[in-house]
Amino acid sequence: MTDWPQAFEAELLRLGVQPGRARRLADETAQQAAETAGVPAEIFGPAHLYARHLVAELSAPAALSPRTRYEPGPVMLSLTGVSKRYRRQTVFTGVDLTVRGGEVAAIVGANGCGKSTLLRICAGLTRPSGGTVKRTRRVGFVPQDGGTAGWLTAEEHFTLFGAAAGMVPGRARSTGVHLATRLAWRPGRQQRAQQMSGGTRQKLNLVLGELHAPDLLLLDEPYQGFDQGTYVDFWQQVFAWRDAGRAVVVVTHLLHDLQNVDHVLDLGER
Amino acid sequence: MTTLVVATLSAREVRRRWAALALVIALPFWFYLVRRDATGQSMRMLTLGIGWAISTLTLFVVNASRGVDPRLRLTGASVVSIIGGRLLAMTGVGVALAAGYWLLAWLDQDVLHPWAAALMMLVSAVVAAPLGSLIGALLPRELEGALALLSVVAVQMLADPAGLTAKLMPFWSAREIGTYAVDGGSAEMVLHGLAHAGLTWLICAGGTLAVFQWRLRLARYPEP
């Protein structure tokens, strides 16, 4: 844990804090830890999360200045009184959610409360037991795990999913590679999905979900295996999609990013 | 176009599973080798080996695609193009395997009707792909599927060819054509074999399609 201050400073720099200010903040934080005779990691938690928390706190006044924020667009997803039962067991009932273009909704809740089931209902892969679902036609779905073919390379995945969406192979590949670079990933030509790390495979999953430019993106904890930098890039990408007028629904169990989303549906509270 | 892309990439996937591919190529060879001294037995065992190998390989390919298929559907692919593309690829692999083994048999054995021997192996390969696909559709786990295929091949191997049980088995057609190819007799046996193969193919391919139509169905929601 001795490299906590360095990791903290590096993350501040990554988040755009000026080098002098980052050094000063790192020194001050280390000093605070020393005053309480504690280890920084125990007092402040993981360096990258505390850095992001601090940057959010410091930039809070700036949020009052006019930020480019678009008017919500047309409704892309509407759930009214949706319920799901498996035989005699009720998973959830009476779920209402409306997400418009240019909005991000987060579905949160404890393990087993039906977050992934609800997302699959939104996608149309699972049928609801009750209620009404209205959804835009073009939808991209990113599952929590799986969803790729282990023996195919990233570019072959782009070709396959592009063909399913009616794209010619060349265009599908170039689009996929372009989207991958936005997640700071350059797909290897020979590397198969089964040879990729968990995080890289999830990046592939994300790109496949977005390849056909859907109006609604349904993401089931897509950041599993991401390193901290990619995790930040992921959320920046989510907000870029929002600013481009798309609707995004994210299943998550991490609560510290919810301040930036437009709707939070807590299935655990139901 | 989706069908062709699925077929091309499925064939590429199979090519990369080189260990499985080597075993698939070798399996009929062992069947052939143990009865090489008897033309009729060796040809029948070889043909059954081709059928078993291709159906097992298809089963694994179908199971490996389980996670991708719903996403492909959601992206816009039809069930027919997904299943059709995969069947096309595996039939192609089967035909290539059958062609190679027919050449071996032609060089190594004294067969009465070599063209019928070719047809026997071709029928076995063509029926094997949808059979493996149907087993994969009905039994989602590879072990269960492989055991089911083993049972089918074992019954096919042991049943009296003239009895009803053998006729209900998927590879009876190859055996019937094989009898004509090796022992001669009425050419009607070829026609019976082809009719049996056609019916088996229709049942297996249609069954696969029906199962996947149900499994990959998407809820149709109205637009907001």
Side-chain angles (χ1 to χ4, degrees):
Chain A
M1 286 305 197
T2 51
D3 60 350
W4 194 96
Q6 286 89 340
F8 176 66
E9 187 179 347
E11 185 61 17
L12 288 174
L13 291 171
R14 240 192 62 76
L15 294 170
V17 176
Q18 293 298 316
R21 194 174 185 210
R23 169 58 59 87
R24 203 163 50 249
L25 286 168
D27 289 345
E28 285 172 6
T29 308
Q31 207 173 344
Q32 283 175 35
E35 281 170 6
T36 56
V39 179
E42 288 175 4
I43 299 168
F44 302 113
H48 68 284
L49 291 180
Y50 186 63
R52 291 171 62 247
H53 170 76
L54 201 61
V55 168
E57 290 294 313
L58 292 171
S59 62
L64 296 173
S65 64
R67 172 181 169 248
T68 309
R69 187 78 176 84
Y70 302 97
E71 285 294 311
V75 174
M76 299 290 183
L77 175 72
S78 165
L79 308 177
T80 312
V82 169
S83 63
K84 183 65 186 174
R85 292 169 62 90
Y86 286 112
R87 292 185 181 151
R88 302 177 74 178
Q89 188 190 354
T90 301
V91 184
F92 48 75
T93 55
V95 172
D96 299 317
L97 178 69
T98 300
V99 189
R100 294 174 171 274
E103 289 184 337
V104 178
I107 302 175
V108 299
N111 292 340
C113 68
K115 302 189 292 290
S116 295
T117 303
L118 182 60
L119 205 71
R120 286 180 64 85
I121 287 173
C122 294
L125 295 170
T126 300
R127 282 157 198 274
S129 306
T132 308
V133 180
K134 291 180 181 175
R135 193 203 71 192
T136 186
R137 203 167 54 83
R138 294 177 65 86
V139 59
F141 176 66
V142 180
Q144 192 174 5
D145 49 22
T148 55
W151 295 87
L152 297 183
T153 66
E155 289 198 5
E156 287 165 345
H157 276 90
F158 302 153
T159 304
L160 181 61
F161 279 73
M167 294 164 78
V168 294
R171 189 176 157 216
R173 279 195 298 273
S174 61
T175 305
V177 170
H178 169 70
L179 295 173
T181 57
R182 283 162 55 178
L183 291 166
W185 170 46
R186 185 186 290 269
R189 280 187 166 271
Q190 304 296 327
Q191 192 182 32
R192 298 167 201 160
Q194 64 184 1
Q195 297 167 327
M196 295 173 185
S197 69
T200 307
R201 207 158 39 239
Q202 277 305 93
K203 287 179 187 176
L204 172 61
N205 252 335
L206 267 177
V207 172
L208 295 178
E210 197 201 352
L211 194 68
H212 58 298
D215 298 320
L216 170 66
L217 272 156
L218 304 169
L219 316 175
D220 191 355
E221 299 196 43
Y223 42 73
Q224 307 252 352
F226 282 0
D227 56 42
Q228 59 193 46
T230 309
Y231 180 81
V232 175
D233 290 340
F234 160 71
W235 277 104
Q236 285 174 352
Q237 186 59 45
V238 166
F239 297 127
W241 286 328
R242 173 174 74 178
D243 293 344
R246 291 179 182 177
V248 185
V249 179
V250 193
V251 165
T252 182
H253 66 274
L254 301 177
L255 305 179
H256 38 70
D257 278 296
L258 300 184
Q259 59 193 356
N260 291 319
V261 305
D262 302 284
H263 306 281
V264 177
L265 175 65
D266 189 350
L267 283 183
E269 281 185 354
R270 307 191 69 80
Chain B
M1 191 187 77
T2 311
T3 308
L4 288 179
V5 171
V6 171
T8 308
L9 293 176
S10 296
R12 215 175 281 181
E13 274 188 273
V14 170
R15 202 178 63 206
R16 285 176 188 159
R17 294 174 163 220
W18 60 267
L21 195 60
L23 289 170
V24 160
I25 292 170
L27 181 77
F29 185 67
W30 307 131
F31 276 45
Y32 174 77
L33 214 55
V34 290
R35 298 310 306 268
R36 184 169 167 261
D37 54 323
T39 302
Q41 283 297 316
S42 64
M43 294 294 286
R44 286 184 190 106
M45 294 301 279
L46 176 63
T47 304
L48 203 55
I50 292 171
W52 191 12
I54 293 302
S55 52
T56 305
L57 195 61
T58 307
L59 168 79
F60 287 172
V61 167
V62 167
N63 279 334
S65 310
R66 206 159 277 273
V68 176
D69 289 351
R71 297 188 75 189
L72 286 176
R73 279 286 289 134
L74 211 52
T75 310
S78 68
V79 176
V80 174
S81 62
I82 297 170
I83 302 305
R86 212 162 282 144
L87 272 184
L88 196 63
M90 297 316 297
T91 303
V93 173
V95 168
L97 190 69
Y101 275 115
W102 176 78
L103 194 64
L104 171 74
W106 184 62
L107 292 172
D108 196 44
Q109 298 285 341
D110 186 21
V111 183
L112 188 63
H113 298 297
W115 65 269
L119 191 61
M120 165 177 75
M121 293 180 198
L122 192 69
V123 156
S124 181
V126 170
V127 166
L131 174 69
S133 200
L134 180 62
I135 300 281
L138 294 172
L139 299 170
R141 292 183 185 85
E142 285 181 349
L143 179 62
E144 283 89 329
L147 289 174
L149 275 175
L150 181 65
S151 306
V152 168
V153 173
V155 172
Q156 182 83 73
M157 202 182 291
L158 299 171
D160 172 16
L164 180 65
T165 309
K167 286 176 183 165
L168 291 174
M169 291 291 112
F171 295 115
W172 181 82
S173 52
R175 187 173 184 123
E176 188 74 351
I177 297 170
T179 302
Y180 174 78
V182 176
D183 304 326
S186 169
E188 272 194 12
M189 283 194 284
V190 177
L191 294 178
H192 289 159
L194 284 176
H196 186 277
L199 188 65
T200 307
W201 191 92
L202 280 177
I203 290 170
C204 292
T208 304
L209 200 60
V211 172
F212 277 105
Q213 283 281 12
W214 179 77
R215 188 170 290 160
L216 297 175
R217 71 197 189 284
L218 297 175
R220 293 195 180 280
Y221 297 135
E223 295 211 31

